[in-house]
Amino acid sequence: MKSLSIKDIAVKANVSITTVSFIINGKAKEKSISEAVIEKVEKIIAESGYKPNQIARSLRTGNSNIIGLIIEDISNSFFSRIARLIEDKAYKRGYKIIYSSTENSVDKAKELINMFKSRKVDAYIISPIKGIEEDIQMLMNDGNPVILFDRNLPDISTSYVGADHFNASYQSIKNFIDQGKKNIALVTIDINVAQITERLEGYKKALEDSGIEYNEDLVLKIHFNQEENETIAQIQKLLQHKAVDAVLFATNYLAISGLKALKQIDKKIGDDFAVIAYDDHEAFELHTPRISAIQQPLEEIAETIIKMILNQLSSKAKLPAEEVIIPARLVLRD
Amino acid sequence: MKSLSIKDIAVKANVSITTVSFIINGKAKEKSISEAVIEKVEKIIAESGYKPNQIARSLRTGNSNIIGLIIEDISNSFFSRIARLIEDKAYKRGYKIIYSSTENSVDKAKELINMFKSRKVDAYIISPIKGIEEDIQMLMNDGNPVILFDRNLPDISTSYVGADHFNASYQSIKNFIDQGKKNIALVTIDINVAQITERLEGYKKALEDSGIEYNEDLVLKIHFNQEENETIAQIQKLLQHKAVDAVLFATNYLAISGLKALKQIDKKIGDDFAVIAYDDHEAFELHTPRISAIQQPLEEIAETIIKMILNQLSSKAKLPAEEVIIPARLVLRD
DNA sequence: CTGAAAGCGCTTACAG
DNA sequence: CTGAAAGCGCTTACAG
């Protein structure tokens, strides 16, 4: 079944499509269409249930009112929660979101960028990976608003919104030290991206500032894509071997593996052994004992991203890149 | 900066845009374009990085290669995991996903359907709510493929994919009974949708088949939108008052509230008190003791949805509605 | 106060 | 073997 076009409405109302278009786009007053005509046309539109074809509109105007969201994995709760907030805020401003997951693949990420490009999305929100700098630069050269989040790419100058990973990590370690911990371990992953390396830097700096020597044996770098069982085994080895009295897990899934590891070797969290997880998780509140965690301010991150996008969208001139670093919050439990 | 159009390529190659179009769309052979021309054009396309404008293509052909996904809330892990799987499978077949969350609002759901309609999405995947039957019926009348999942709408005849909630619930209660439980409670929500009421029906039937009388006092219907604290308090009241020796939680977030409730009143899960949660959650594996759960086969659900969509998309004729009910799995822990 | 016409970037039936 | 032209459904500069 064919849907109605602006022409059908024009014929029914006995006016030109120009007039209908003006009315649909709220330019009736400005174009001084008579009240009578406006009413007649609006009535017909309402009765017929006519909806303008956005595809045609996009082709003509050059914008789609769609924002492309490129993330690592929508099923990761950090991203799905951000996606939800972004969707919500964008929706209120008349924008829709089209998303895709990169699965940490450079090829897929490049493909997605091309795909979004050919779909003429109005703006890009990207949680990037190394290796797509050139593609992003091209996007910006073409005048597209681009906001990176979660992870930054140091080699290009892009607008960026993210949490202050360095400080959050620093504060967590400081907290351990203030509790009198001496052998503080870090369990992290072996990928070389800023949001992860900053957590290591914060760890190192906090130790240094307290006069504790950095001990490489206390830092476990888990291989990014390995089986969870392997991860659990490595964590157990770390915790059994040493007089470790505190651990910072650099991601929430590492913390979850870590908690499983502890359970298996029956090592208890308590006065003589403390744990903090980077990025909160529902399981932490429920765990016995409850697990302390660093919370990224998702709401604020999403709001900042959307604000920057809208700013760039509404200014004809190209805005300079802007970096917003938002403090993360250490939530101590039990 | 303007991006290249098919015309630019045609001019550069010194051929007509018709020829370029045929080559782009793999119809060169069929239209018997000479090898020399094909090579020349392909070279120019590759060098220039030209990507066809999908908007123009959509306007012309009437399809967008976009599938609209309408769900309750992308940040709910059940939906985000399904979304991930659907995205993946759709992507491999050349389709993109555009999603939006309804937040259980009828108005928003209707708005989303209209929005997707005006964007000319090729197909709809919807986790519906009551009150949008008419809108969905119209979609189908217009010849759009529509697949409902998770929840069905009994009043219209639509293709549907979902887990066998009745049986999963039935098996869980049977399992309690086989363990010798006598006072089995059900904590559910008060919304009147099939996927929830079926869980209650399964509960009732299992009791009946075992000759246990149904006791209304053991069924707690939580108000859908209330504060979690209120929920926790109600669960505590249920569990303190009665000789309850087993509980089935009808959703995973109810189970999480329930576990918090138990923790506060220090009621232990063990030989004399058993718990099962509907829909698994990472926290359950980690909990002490580990919590048994019903797992919906997400992979299978996603795969079935995509298969049905592609079937409908590739058949010119309207296919009859098809319902696929997939067994859920009870995972017993500890 | 209103309309005829060009054009956005494609695809495709038709013609040669 | 290849191209001119119509048309998808809009918006908007221009004209009256």
Side-chain angles (χ1 to χ4, degrees):
Chain A
M1 207 168 96
K2 288 273 292 117
S3 48
L4 294 166
S5 77
I6 193 169
K7 201 173 164 191
D8 298 319
I9 304 296
V11 168
K12 274 194 204 177
N14 211 10
V15 295
S16 75
I17 59 171
T18 306
T19 301
V20 178
S21 175
F22 286 154
I23 293 172
I24 290 170
N25 292 297
K27 294 190 181 163
K29 290 267 175 279
E30 176 189 330
K31 299 289 177 180
S32 38
I33 311 280
S34 69
E35 264 310 325
V37 170
I38 298 181
E39 265 180 40
K40 181 172 62 174
V41 171
E42 282 182 340
K43 186 149 166 277
I44 292 175
I45 291 177
E47 279 169 1
S48 64
Y50 164 70
K51 302 282 168 201
N53 181 325
Q54 296 295 339
I55 301 276
R57 189 177 263 178
S58 292
L59 180 59
R60 182 53 228 250
T61 62
N63 43 48
S64 58
N65 282 313
I66 292 185
I67 295 173
L69 174 64
I70 298 181
I71 55 190
E72 185 189 323
D73 178 1
I74 189 72
S75 73
N76 174 319
S77 86
F78 172 76
F79 290 116
S80 73
R81 287 163 70 194
I82 284 276
R84 180 73 183 77
L85 291 164
I86 287 179
E87 179 210 333
D88 206 43
K89 291 170 200 300
Y91 188 86
K92 287 191 182 118
R93 278 92 160 186
Y95 287 91
K96 302 290 152 273
I97 304 291
I98 178 166
Y99 76 90
S100 265
S101 308
T102 64
E103 307 167 75
N104 267 312
S105 146
V106 172
D107 288 345
K108 179 139 189 232
K110 282 173 185 255
E111 215 179 310
L112 291 179
I113 289 178
N114 274 329
M115 195 280 280
F116 284 179
K117 212 185 209 165
S118 70
R119 285 246 142 67
K120 307 290 167 195
V121 305
D122 290 348
Y124 297 78
I125 301 174
I126 305 178
S127 159
I129 47 179
K130 274 212 162 123
I132 60 169
E133 287 83 352
E134 235 177 84
D135 304 77
I136 291 183
Q137 189 61 60
M138 277 175 55
L139 245 33
M140 295 196 299
N141 292 347
D142 289 355
N144 296 291
V146 178
I147 311 282
L148 305 187
F149 81 103
D150 186 44
R151 11 190 129 167
N152 206 349
L153 292 175
D155 297 343
I156 50 176
S157 161
T158 325
S159 288
Y160 168 75
V161 181
D164 187 349
H165 305 296
F166 175 86
N167 256 309
S169 172
Y170 184 92
Q171 296 304 335
S172 307
I173 303 303
K174 265 292 189 197
N175 181 277
F176 283 148
I177 294 170
D178 292 347
Q179 286 176 47
K181 305 299 181 196
K182 305 278 181 230
N183 296 291
I184 302 168
L186 173 69
V187 177
T188 183
I189 45 177
D190 69 349
I191 56 177
N192 184 25
V193 294
Q195 84 275 17
I196 293 298
T197 55
E198 282 165 16
R199 298 173 199 189
L200 175 58
E201 294 311 318
Y203 168 85
K204 285 183 180 169
K205 187 73 166 62
L207 293 181
E208 189 189 320
D209 287 358
S210 302
I212 300 179
E213 206 175 332
Y214 173 69
N215 176 355
E216 213 180 44
D217 292 348
L218 292 178
V219 175
L220 173 60
K221 294 191 180 178
I222 299 287
H223 181 56
F224 174 66
N225 248 335
Q226 75 188 20
E227 289 286 314
E228 191 183 14
N229 285 338
E230 175 73 8
T231 303
I232 291 176
Q234 288 179 279
I235 294 173
Q236 287 175 345
K237 210 170 141 210
L238 170 75
L239 298 181
Q240 282 173 324
H241 244 72
K242 314 284 165 190
V244 174
D245 51 13
V247 185
L248 172 64
F249 291 99
T251 77
N252 58 13
Y253 57 85
L254 287 176
I256 287 179
S257 298
L259 294 175
K260 290 180 187 167
L262 291 171
K263 199 166 183 179
Q264 286 174 16
I265 60 174
D266 207 29
K267 183 169 175 107
K268 302 284 185 220
I269 296 169
D271 289 342
D272 52 352
F273 180 63
V275 164
I276 295 179
Y278 206 112
D279 282 345
D280 207 355
H281 191 282
E282 261 180 319
F284 299 155
E285 169 78 18
L286 217 56
H287 192 268
T288 308
R290 298 185 308 152
I291 304 299
S292 300
I294 294 165
Q295 289 178 345
Q296 292 191 53
L298 301 180
E299 177 79 34
E300 212 177 328
I301 292 175
E303 187 64 39
T304 308
I305 291 172
I306 291 294
K307 281 224 182 89
M308 286 166 88
I309 291 268
L310 293 175
N311 261 344
Q312 294 196 21
L313 241 23
S314 62
S315 102
K316 307 117 271 302
K318 211 159 137 184
L319 264 35
E322 191 185 350
E323 299 207 352
V324 178
I325 308 295
I326 301 175
R329 207 160 64 92
L330 173 58
V331 179
L332 294 172
R333 298 201 172 101
D334 276 4
Chain B
M1 206 170 95
K2 288 272 293 115
S3 49
L4 293 166
S5 76
I6 193 169
K7 200 172 164 190
D8 298 319
I9 304 298
V11 169
K12 273 193 206 179
N14 210 10
V15 296
S16 73
I17 59 171
T18 305
T19 302
V20 178
S21 175
F22 287 153
I23 293 172
I24 290 169
N25 293 297
K27 295 190 181 163
K29 291 267 174 281
E30 177 187 331
K31 300 290 178 179
S32 35
I33 311 280
S34 69
E35 264 310 324
V37 171
I38 298 181
E39 265 178 40
K40 181 172 61 176
V41 171
E42 283 181 341
K43 186 149 165 278
I44 292 175
I45 290 176
E47 279 169 1
S48 63
Y50 164 70
K51 301 282 169 201
N53 181 326
Q54 296 294 339
I55 301 276
R57 189 177 263 180
S58 291
L59 181 59
R60 181 54 228 248
T61 62
N63 44 49
S64 58
N65 282 313
I66 292 185
I67 295 172
L69 175 64
I70 298 181
I71 54 190
E72 185 189 322
D73 177 2
I74 189 73
S75 72
N76 173 319
S77 85
F78 172 75
F79 290 115
S80 73
R81 287 162 70 193
I82 284 276
R84 179 75 183 74
L85 291 164
I86 287 178
E87 179 210 334
D88 205 43
K89 292 171 198 301
Y91 188 87
K92 287 191 183 120
R93 277 92 159 186
Y95 288 91
K96 303 291 152 274
I97 304 292
I98 178 167
Y99 76 90
S100 266
S101 309
T102 64
E103 307 167 75
N104 267 313
S105 147
V106 172
D107 288 344
K108 179 141 190 231
K110 282 172 185 258
E111 216 178 311
L112 291 179
I113 289 178
N114 275 328
M115 194 281 280
F116 283 0
K117 212 185 207 167
S118 71
R119 285 246 142 65
K120 308 289 167 196
V121 305
D122 290 348
Y124 297 78
I125 301 174
I126 305 178
S127 158
I129 48 179
K130 274 213 163 121
I132 59 168
E133 286 84 352
E134 237 177 81
D135 305 77
I136 291 182
Q137 189 61 59
M138 276 174 55
L139 244 34
M140 293 195 301
N141 292 347
D142 290 355
N144 295 291
V146 177
I147 311 282
L148 306 187
F149 80 104
D150 186 43
R151 13 189 128 170
N152 206 349
L153 291 175
D155 298 343
I156 51 175
S157 160
T158 324
S159 287
Y160 168 76
V161 181
D164 187 347
H165 305 296
F166 175 86
N167 256 309
S169 172
Y170 184 93
Q171 296 304 334
S172 307
I173 303 303
K174 265 293 190 196
N175 181 276
F176 284 148
I177 294 170
D178 291 348
Q179 286 175 47
K181 305 300 180 196
K182 304 279 181 229
N183 296 290
I184 301 168
L186 173 70
V187 177
T188 183
I189 44 177
D190 69 349
I191 55 175
N192 183 26
V193 293
Q195 83 277 17
I196 294 298
T197 54
E198 282 165 16
R199 299 174 200 190
L200 175 58
E201 294 311 317
Y203 168 85
K204 286 184 180 169
K205 188 72 164 65
L207 293 181
E208 189 189 321
D209 286 359
S210 303
I212 301 180
E213 207 175 330
Y214 173 67
N215 177 355
E216 213 180 43
D217 292 348
L218 292 179
V219 175
L220 173 60
K221 294 190 183 181
I222 299 287
H223 181 58
F224 174 66
N225 249 336
Q226 74 188 22
E227 289 286 315
E228 191 182 13
N229 285 340
E230 175 73 9
T231 303
I232 291 177
Q234 288 178 282
I235 294 173
Q236 287 175 343
K237 210 170 140 209
L238 170 75
L239 298 181
Q240 283 173 324
H241 243 73
K242 314 285 165 188
V244 173
D245 52 12
V247 184
L248 172 64
F249 291 99
T251 78
N252 58 13
Y253 58 85
L254 287 175
I256 287 178
S257 298
L259 293 176
K260 291 181 188 167
L262 291 171
K263 200 167 183 178
Q264 286 175 18
I265 59 174
D266 206 31
K267 184 170 174 106
K268 303 285 186 219
I269 295 169
D271 289 342
D272 51 353
F273 179 63
V275 163
I276 296 177
Y278 206 112
D279 280 344
D280 207 353
H281 191 282
E282 261 180 319
F284 299 156
E285 169 79 19
L286 218 56
H287 192 269
T288 309
R290 299 184 308 151
I291 304 298
S292 299
I294 294 164
Q295 289 178 347
Q296 293 191 51
L298 301 180
E299 177 79 34
E300 211 177 328
I301 291 175
E303 186 65 39
T304 309
I305 290 172
I306 292 293
K307 281 226 181 88
M308 285 166 88
I309 291 268
L310 293 174
N311 260 344
Q312 295 196 21
L313 242 22
S314 63
S315 104
K316 310 114 272 302
K318 212 158 136 185
L319 264 35
E322 190 183 352
E323 299 206 352
V324 178
I325 308 295
I326 301 176
R329 208 160 64 93
L330 172 58
V331 179
L332 294 173
R333 297 202 173 101
D334 277 4

